Amino acid sequence: MAHNLENFNGNKPNREGEVTVSSITELDDTSISNPQINDVLKWNGTNWVNVSPNTVSSQYIYIGDRNDSINYSTCHGASITSSHVFKIYSENPTNTITNASFVYQGDDSADGNGFTINASDLKNGVKYKIKTQGDANWTSIGAANSNVGTIFTYNGSTVTGSGTASSFWIRGVVLPAGTYYAQARVKLTDSTDNAYFDYRLLTCSATSSKNNVPLSAVAEFGKKSYTGGAGNLLSYFTLTESTEIQIVGAGNMASINTAVSNHGNELSRYGYMFIRKI
Amino acid sequence: MSYNLTKDAAKISTITNTLPSTNDYLKGDGTNFTANSSITPECPLMYYFIGNGGGSGTAYSYGSTDTRLTWRSTGGYDGIAPDGNNFSDSNSAPSSHDEFFTHSSVDYLGREAAYSPSTSTNNWHSGITLKQGTYLLLGRVTAHQNSSSDGMICAWYDTDDNRVGPHSYMQEYGVGGRNHDFAIAVVDVPLAGKTYVLKLVQELGTINIHMNTNDVKRTVVAVERL
């Protein structure tokens, strides 16, 4: 009898030739694993698999450590001007955007204005990463070894020889082509009621026509606020090619001390950047 | 006849007469299930509160005893389940109500009864319990302050008292320069779930424990799944 011969994944026809399939797991093109309420079926190229429609896999970057005691003087930055490139400190930034990367102080930016941190310029008690080995006495100044990429805290000992390092102050983010939402905040010490500083998001490029292109409206911190609140930068932009972006002064500042060393831990305490690929 | 039956019939793709492409979903159209690549993704918004106004004096206060901020949900508007763009409907809620939305996977904490005032404790939120996943937390809770030098430094914390995001600075509307900053955090919630609260880290000057209407209007708390 046919009903003894046909076999549908273990379900045999009855005498009337009817086949009872009690679950979609018994079908040939399904692969169901631990199904949950509200799961849907999705074709993976071979089988229908169950997935949660709640799964939203955003690609994003988040720079915003809880380490808020790092003095801005450790960023190796130049004096603060109205076009200052802000650095945000982070030892554990998150990056889930494919082909995106961070540009740390000590790395070269796309416009060639990187800041080289020579071994001889290291600051005592600050954490660094060896960038170029040279012949510096890395193991005497705090590093476990002299390999490129080794993270160490400079112990203040005399540096001999040469070599370079990068810091954990992030001065830029390289994003691949795409559309993004960005939100960020920077802040410096503002000691008077009239202190303020405008800032925004800009492109950084070796190509002049693509350099310093505004990607956001201007945000501001400090104005007429004795204790100093900070505005948040919000932006929505599209990049047609891989591009470095930076948080840069927007040309207006007042009563802001120009010495980096006078700004304490304001940036590590309040600074953050969040970018989501749309 | 049984000889017309083949094992091919035991495939969803055969039964539904679909030629699926990778990443297609099986979607019901009211009559049948068909492969459809354009299934509407669920809104990632998990929780959203907009202080729309209302309230004055001590009727609307935040807790300062344990420095945990609260936000008012009195008159709250329950948003529609976050399927597609339905959430935008909540924006048409009566303006006299605070606008409030929560997803079923989010639980919120009520305010402790010890807070002042002790009434209406059921209408306050003081934290959010999230299920496993990665989330963006945003919050701005303004409070009543006395002078231009007053303010409060806030941050997101978990209930183990670990700070999970950078500090932010909030000041009162119309007094201290109108700087209303956001507290932000990106958190990876473990399998067991976790509760997050907005905490007052430091008072600068004098902060009254109550909100007024303008404070409530400037309060917003949002949780989004990443």
Side-chain angles (χ1 to χ4, degrees):
Chain A
M1 297 289 291
H3 61 81
N4 288 325
L5 298 175
E6 295 288 356
N7 186 321
F8 296 86
N9 299 337
N11 298 293
K12 294 181 178 179
N14 61 17
R15 295 176 62 183
E16 286 73 38
E18 297 168 334
V19 180
T20 299
V21 178
S22 58
S23 169
I24 62 171
T25 60
E26 297 173 357
L27 302 178
D28 278 355
D29 59 351
T30 61
S31 178
I32 310 298
S33 175
N34 189 26
Q36 302 293 310
I37 293 174
N38 295 328
D39 272 7
V40 298
L41 294 181
K42 185 177 183 180
W43 184 251
N44 69 1
T46 305
N47 289 306
W48 292 98
V49 299
N50 60 307
V51 298
S52 168
N54 293 335
T55 301
V56 179
S57 54
S58 294
Q59 292 187 52
Y60 69 94
I61 279 174
Y62 178 63
I63 309 167
D65 273 18
R66 302 177 301 282
N67 191 344
D68 63 353
S69 61
I70 308 299
N71 196 299
Y72 202 40
S73 64
T74 67
C75 78
H76 293 264
S79 295
I80 292 171
T81 67
S82 62
S83 60
H84 182 68
V85 178
F86 284 90
K87 276 72 71 175
I88 301 177
Y89 189 86
S90 182
E91 296 179 12
N92 297 292
T94 303
N95 176 13
T96 67
I97 299 176
T98 304
N99 295 325
S101 60
F102 300 112
V103 179
Y104 291 90
Q105 186 77 331
D107 297 336
D108 291 332
S109 280
D111 60 358
N113 290 327
F115 192 98
T116 299
I117 301 176
N118 293 309
S120 57
D121 294 330
L122 300 182
K123 297 179 182 296
N124 191 13
V126 177
K127 189 175 285 188
Y128 296 94
K129 181 185 291 185
I130 298 174
K131 184 180 178 184
T132 59
Q133 189 179 62
D135 59 355
N137 56 334
W138 297 109
T139 57
S140 298
I141 61 174
N145 57 64
S146 56
N147 298 334
V148 171
T150 296
I151 296 170
F152 69 99
T153 300
Y154 176 45
N155 61 16
S157 298
T158 300
V159 176
T160 62
S162 63
T164 63
S166 57
S167 73
F168 287 88
W169 287 95
I170 296 174
R171 61 181 281 123
V173 174
V174 178
L175 299 172
T179 299
Y180 297 90
Y181 168 82
Q183 179 176 335
R185 175 180 62 212
V186 293
K187 189 177 181 303
L188 298 173
T189 300
D190 39 14
S191 57
T192 72
D193 282 356
N194 293 323
Y196 70 93
F197 197 109
D198 290 347
Y199 66 97
R200 62 184 171 184
L201 211 56
L202 293 181
T203 60
C204 177
S205 172
T207 306
S208 59
S209 62
K210 297 179 180 178
N211 196 21
N212 293 327
V213 177
L215 299 175
S216 76
V218 172
E220 180 183 73
F221 63 79
K223 189 172 185 179
K224 293 189 181 303
S225 171
Y226 172 69
T227 40
N232 283 240
L233 176 156
L234 301 176
S235 180
Y236 178 88
F237 56 91
T238 296
L239 303 175
T240 57
E241 61 186 6
S242 179
T243 305
E244 181 179 343
I245 65 170
Q246 298 175 333
I247 301 173
V248 182
N252 296 304
M253 60 179 275
S255 300
I256 298 291
N257 196 299
T258 57
V260 173
S261 59
N262 285 336
H263 292 285
N265 64 347
E266 291 289 286
L267 256 169
S268 64
R269 183 172 171 82
Y270 295 100
Y272 77 86
M273 177 183 279
F274 174 77
I275 302 171
R276 175 168 45 206
K277 190 170 187 180
I278 298 173
Chain B
M1 295 294 289
S2 61
Y3 57 78
N4 286 329
L5 298 175
T6 69
K7 289 185 67 175
D8 286 345
K11 288 184 176 181
I12 284 181
S13 300
T14 303
I15 295 169
T16 58
N17 193 28
T18 58
L19 292 173
S21 300
T22 300
N23 295 327
D24 268 8
Y25 291 93
L26 195 63
K27 182 180 180 182
D29 63 4
T31 304
N32 296 303
F33 281 98
T34 58
N36 189 317
S37 61
S38 61
I39 187 171
T40 304
E42 183 168 335
C43 176
L45 193 63
M46 293 284 101
Y47 178 99
Y48 193 43
F49 172 87
I50 305 172
N52 225 1
S56 62
T58 57
Y60 304 96
S61 65
Y62 69 94
S64 60
T65 52
D66 69 350
T67 70
R68 181 185 299 175
L69 300 180
T70 61
W71 49 95
R72 188 177 74 101
S73 68
T74 301
Y77 178 82
D78 288 326
I80 298 172
D83 183 10
N85 295 319
N86 283 350
F87 172 64
S88 62
D89 292 347
S90 73
N91 290 326
S92 62
S95 59
S96 59
H97 288 181
D98 295 335
E99 296 188 11
F100 167 68
F101 163 82
T102 188
H103 185 271
S104 58
S105 65
V106 178
D107 292 325
Y108 46 86
L109 296 180
R111 187 180 60 166
E112 285 87 341
Y115 283 4
S116 174
S118 58
T119 57
S120 302
T121 53
N122 292 333
N123 296 324
W124 289 79
H125 294 179
S126 63
I128 301 161
T129 300
L130 301 171
K131 294 184 177 179
Q132 185 181 27
T134 302
Y135 299 87
L136 170 68
L137 311 181
L138 286 173
R140 182 179 69 200
V141 179
T142 60
H144 198 71
Q145 293 146 41
N146 289 324
S147 75
S148 61
S149 62
D150 292 347
M152 55 184 183
I153 295 173
C154 306
W156 283 101
Y157 277 71
D158 64 21
T159 47
D160 296 325
D161 211 28
N162 299 309
R163 185 161 55 84
V164 296
H167 290 93
S168 67
Y169 189 95
M170 303 180 193
Q171 288 180 299
E172 186 194 10
Y173 156 78
V175 175
R178 306 190 183 197
N179 286 302
H180 302 291
D181 207 347
F182 279 98
I184 187 173
V186 173
V187 294
D188 288 318
V189 180
L191 179 62
K194 210 166 188 63
T195 300
Y196 298 90
V197 300
L198 259 175
K199 287 190 68 172
L200 173 62
V201 179
Q202 182 181 356
E203 285 189 29
L204 302 172
T206 303
I207 301 175
N208 291 331
I209 63 166
H210 67 272
M211 289 180 171
N212 64 24
T213 300
N214 284 325
D215 298 322
V216 174
K217 279 181 177 178
R218 285 156 181 79
T219 292
V220 58
V221 179
V223 177
E224 189 175 327
R225 183 167 39 219
L226 294 173

